[in-house]
Every structure is written in C-alpha cells, then in structure tokens.
Amino acid sequence: MATPTATRTPPPPAQKRKKTFSQYCKSIRGQQTIITVLFMILPLLLLFLFTYLPLFKMVQFSLYDMRYIGKRTFVGLQNYIDVFARDDCFAALRLSLYYMVGSVVQMAMALLFATILSFPVKGGGIFKGCIFFPYLICGISVGFIFKFFFTRGFVLDSLLGFIGFDLESLPYWLSGTRINNWMLMASSVWRYMGQNMVLFIGAIMSVDASMYEAAEIDGCSPFQKFLYIILPSIKTIVVLNLILSVTGALSAFEAPYVITDGAFGTSTYFVLMNRLAHANQKVGLACAMAIVLLGIIVLATLFQK
C-alpha cells in the first residue's frame, strides 16, 4: 500500500523593497516623470501668468468702480447691471449679426474653393496662395487697405466711375448707415476666407480616394460626391470653423476700429469696450463687459456643439 506524499506549501513571496527617492529618480520611469514635469513647468507658468491670472484680475476689477490710476470703490454686481441696462452695449452686440452673416458667406465660399482646389486643377497652387495671402497680412494693414478702398472718391468709386457709374449716385460706403457695416463685413470675409479654405483642404485631402472611385463607378455626380462623401467626412472641421467664425464675429475689432473708428453706427462690442476702458477710463465696466462677452461665447460654443 502506497503511502500518501506530504504536500509542501510554497514559501511566501518575498516582499518588494520600496525604492528610495534617489533610486526612483535614477530609474527609467522616474527620469520620464522628471523630464515631463520639467517640460510642463514653463508652459504652465506662462499660461498661468498670461491667461488665468489676468482673467482672475479682470473678474476682480469688474466688481469695482475704478480707473487705471486712482481710488477703487467696490460696487459689487453694479457694473454687470449697467452692462445689461446700457443701450449702446446691446446695439454693439447687434452689429455682431452682420459679421455672423459674413461668417456663413465666408465658410460657404471657403468650402467651395477648397472642394475645387483639393483636386488637380491647372494653376491650383497659385489660386491657393492668392486666396490664403490676405490672412497673412496684419489686421491693421488690412484695415488701412479697405479704408482707402472705400473712402469717397478713392479706389472703389474710381473703378465704378471707370465702368460708367455716376459718382453722385454712389452711396457713401463708410458713412452711410445702411451699407457701411456690410462693407466692413466684406473686408472681414476677404481676410479670413483663406484660413477656412486651408483647413477645409486639409480635411478633404484626407478622405480615402477609393470612395471617389466607387462613387464614379456608381455614376454619382460631382454634387453627390460632395454631399455624400466630402461633407460627412469633414463634419468635424466644419464645426470647428463654425465655432471660430462665430466667436470671431462676436469679438470683431480691427476692421471697425481702423476703418471707421466705430463712427457712423459701426462700433462693435470690442470697439465700445476699448473706448470705455481707455477713453472714458471706466475700467470696471469694461471688465464686466469682457466677462459678459466670455459667457456669451461659451454659450454659443456649447450651443453649436
């Protein structure tokens, strides 16, 4: 009769010794962590100094009746109440509707040119460069270009007179309240359309080419290719451009400030805020306007998403 063998219990696993801090720093994982932290310190410091700290101070200043130099008086939410009570603030916000209409036109034209220039076109590179070039020009320079372009008797009037229009029958492009905001909107479309076009081209060129080949075999027209292949494939970039365009429309500044200085009913929200802060020295009220605009932009972005 065989005797049963005795079962041997395995020895307990040896406890892992904890690394000291110096050992951890010498390890690969520790060196990766140290390098990551060191590379993050400077960007985070700059982000804090030039973004979050100024935002915090702006919120703080919005609670005071203050100038740049002088006594500060705490007024609580009175500046925010004044923002919603002033007629000029809402009139300035209404002007953003012109630039929102312009952003829709701008995106439509950018998408049209991007769709055409994403495929082999003779001289396509030249057209891309010409359309994108205005975005590379400084905004102040663009403002001066259109200021002289639209001024009475200058470039636009001369061109229209050359083809037979009577100068006396032409409107005042910058002082006529019925048309001047449309002219400023057109200058904004001219400048930013190239940026949207480049983003659209990058998205369209990333679409799988086999999808176009399959569409051609199925007999799809160019419009059907655009509607059922291109547009669904670049939906994310369309939403991104829409968000950038709407936020840009709400914060339009350079064109009305340089071209008309906010006169003749062209003072946008940013132009009014700049005037209140620097000319009228109502720093607290201007900060409250900036916080309100930030809230509007956040809400508009959430609504679009």
Side-chain angles (χ1 to χ4, degrees), residues 104-115 189 193 197 200:
V104 174
V105 175
Q106 169 185 312
M107 286 189 60
M109 295 178 63
L111 190 55
L112 173 64
F113 287 119
T115 305
V189 170
M193 184 181 65
M197 183 197 70
F200 284 142

Side-chain angles (χ1 to χ4, degrees), residues 199-255:
L199 292 175
F200 284 142
I201 288 176
I204 292 172
M205 294 184 70
S206 65
V207 178
D208 189 1
S210 62
M211 299 178 68
Y212 299 123
E213 297 173 0
E216 288 181 2
I217 294 172
D218 292 338
C220 293
S221 64
F223 179 74
Q224 289 174 324
K225 292 179 186 177
F226 171 79
L227 191 62
Y228 297 111
I229 297 177
I230 294 177
L231 200 56
S233 301
I234 64 171
K235 182 173 64 174
T236 304
I237 302 300
V238 171
V239 173
L240 173 63
N241 272 344
L242 184 62
I243 292 173
L244 293 175
S245 298
V246 170
T247 54
L250 289 170
S251 56
F253 175 73
E254 291 173 341

Side-chain angles (χ1 to χ4, degrees), residues 39-60:
F39 272 91
M40 288 176 60
I41 285 176
L42 184 58
L44 289 176
L45 180 62
L46 294 175
L47 186 65
F48 174 76
L49 287 177
F50 296 104
T51 302
Y52 296 117
L53 183 60
L55 177 61
F56 172 76
K57 298 300 291 185
M58 187 169 62
V59 173
Q60 179 185 357

Side-chain angles (χ1 to χ4, degrees), residues 99 181 184 187 252-263 266-268 271:
Y99 296 92
N181 283 299
L184 297 180
S187 69
F253 175 73
E254 291 173 341
Y257 180 74
V258 177
I259 299 175
T260 62
D261 196 22
T266 60
S267 180
T268 58
V271 174

Side-chain angles (χ1 to χ4, degrees), residues 11-61:
Q15 289 187 350
K16 217 171 184 181
R17 292 183 59 188
K18 290 185 177 180
K19 294 181 179 180
T20 63
F21 181 74
S22 61
Q23 290 175 335
Y24 177 76
C25 293
K26 293 177 181 179
S27 65
I28 296 177
R29 183 66 180 273
Q31 291 177 3
Q32 290 176 343
T33 304
I34 292 172
I35 291 173
T36 303
V37 171
L38 289 176
F39 272 91
M40 288 176 60
I41 285 176
L42 184 58
L44 289 176
L45 180 62
L46 294 175
L47 186 65
F48 174 76
L49 287 177
F50 296 104
T51 302
Y52 296 117
L53 183 60
L55 177 61
F56 172 76
K57 298 300 291 185
M58 187 169 62
V59 173
Q60 179 185 357
F61 292 158

Side-chain angles (χ1 to χ4, degrees), residues 32 40 52 62 70 115 137 141 146 149 182 185 209 217 250 256 260 264 280 303:
Q32 290 176 343
M40 288 176 60
Y52 296 117
S62 69
T115 305
I137 305 176
S141 301
F146 279 95
F149 184 78
W182 294 110
M185 179 267 290
I217 294 172
L250 289 170
T260 62
F264 311 111
N280 300 340
F303 176 76

